[in-house]
Amino acid sequence: MTGKEEPGWLAIAGLGPGDDQLVTPEVSAALAEATDVVGYIPYVARVAPRPGLTLHPSDNRVELDRARAALEMAAIGKRVVVVSSGDPGVFAMASAVFEALEGREDWQALNIRVLPGITAMLAAAAAAGAPLGHDFCCINLSDNLKPWEVIETRLRHAARADFAMAFYNPRSASRPEGFLKALTTLREECGSDRLITFARAVSTPEQRLLTVTLGEATPEMADMRTVVIVGNSATRRVGRFVYSPRSAG
Ligand code: SAH
């Protein structure tokens, strides 16, 4: 890098759930100044190409490699945006970038920012009404990065604490049985009358919302574009909406 060049930076940005109107102005500004955009193919596809911007879509599921590649570019003076869907801190790239920084003091000194985005569960809750209006928790049902026993323990504890619950990555072709097990566990803990909302492709033209009881729920109601919200014991319907009252007990 010569003295004349601007120093590089890295922004880890959330693109929101899908609708362009739900991309924050801060993220749009970072993308407008970027020289390079890094991320998983479907997320990079949401960034408009323009002269001076190099897109680096990857199908590489090894997030750490992607994070290191982005840091290498920022270190040589590029202005790099790592994109995630939703919020970058929710089951996404921000943690991978910080993990890549461990033991790398040179990279730790870089200009690094995390730019928040609207995460899927908040967009889904807004579309359904206010099912997360009281205390809630959020669990990734993918067992790629943790054993199923951990997921099941967390499900049971969250249900017993009467949290509303939002579930990411509910179902994939490679693990069709996982979500069935989750539904069975939830029925045991919450009973079959508890409300469950399946929110698919929220804020896109393919959006689909379905609220049923746990007794009626089947695994096919979810896929990998679905976020699932299970209410607490007071969550109820009003008109076409679902909400959790502000007070409990
Ligand atoms: N960082 C993302 C989550 C990535 S994990 C965020 O904050 O939203 C991917 C999971 O997010 C999907 O399996 C699905 O459960 C959920 N998801 C992402 N976008 C969604 C959307 N538009 N509608 C419903 N669920 C979505």
Side-chain angles (χ1 to χ4, degrees):
M1 189 169 131
T2 70
K4 277 186 209 153
E5 277 167 298
E6 293 286 316
W9 50 252
L10 179 71
I12 313 155
L15 296 176
D19 185 345
D20 285 347
Q21 291 196 77
L22 300 182
V23 179
T24 69
E26 181 182 48
V27 168
S28 299
L31 289 170
E33 290 170 15
T35 57
D36 295 85
V37 171
V38 174
Y40 184 43
I41 295 164
Y43 307 151
V44 173
R46 288 172 54 190
V47 177
R50 61 170 164 76
L53 178 67
T54 308
L55 301 176
H56 304 267
S58 72
D59 62 2
N60 180 2
R61 297 301 185 106
V62 184
E63 294 179 336
L64 259 181
D65 291 347
R66 195 185 288 144
R68 288 193 192 104
L71 286 158
E72 301 273 12
M73 286 194 280
I76 59 164
K78 310 255 190 189
R79 300 187 294 277
V80 185
V81 180
V82 175
V83 289
S84 289
S85 72
D87 180 272
V90 179
F91 312 135
M93 282 302 294
S95 293
V97 171
F98 292 116
E99 196 174 332
L101 287 184
E102 298 221 23
R104 288 295 304 254
E105 284 180 22
D106 52 340
W107 285 348
Q108 289 168 22
L110 291 169
N111 175 355
I112 298 173
R113 295 171 295 154
V114 181
L115 311 182
I118 296 178
T119 189
M121 69 175 172
L122 298 185
L132 303 178
H134 196 77
D135 298 341
F136 68 92
C137 68
C138 160
I139 299 176
N140 186 349
L141 290 184
S142 167
D143 58 4
N144 287 342
L145 300 170
K146 63 191 169 196
W148 174 258
E149 295 69 47
V150 171
I151 299 175
E152 179 169 344
T153 305
R154 290 184 183 163
L155 281 178
R156 289 196 191 280
H157 283 280
R160 287 176 197 171
D162 202 18
F163 283 117
M165 294 167 260
F167 300 121
Y168 285 71
N169 294 305
R171 200 153 177 264
S172 75
S174 60
R175 314 170 271 109
E177 70 297 336
F179 189 54
L180 176 61
K181 285 196 280 183
L183 283 177
T184 306
T185 303
L186 288 164
R187 259 183 229 120
E188 284 169 21
E189 299 291 341
C190 307
S192 26
D193 293 335
R194 184 68 57 90
L195 292 180
I196 178 169
T197 297
F198 295 88
R200 180 170 193 278
V202 175
S203 89
T204 77
E206 294 91 51
Q207 174 171 317
R208 196 197 62 202
L209 278 184
L210 172 68
T211 298
V212 295
T213 65
L214 274 179
E216 294 161 339
T218 62
E220 296 70 37
M221 291 175 180
D223 64 9
M224 284 309 273
R225 293 188 73 192
T226 305
V227 67
V228 179
I229 297 178
V230 172
N232 67 20
S233 58
T235 302
R236 59 189 84 151
R237 294 177 189 267
V238 56
R240 65 182 188 283
F241 302 107
V242 180
Y243 85 105
S244 300
R246 296 272 287 129
S247 57

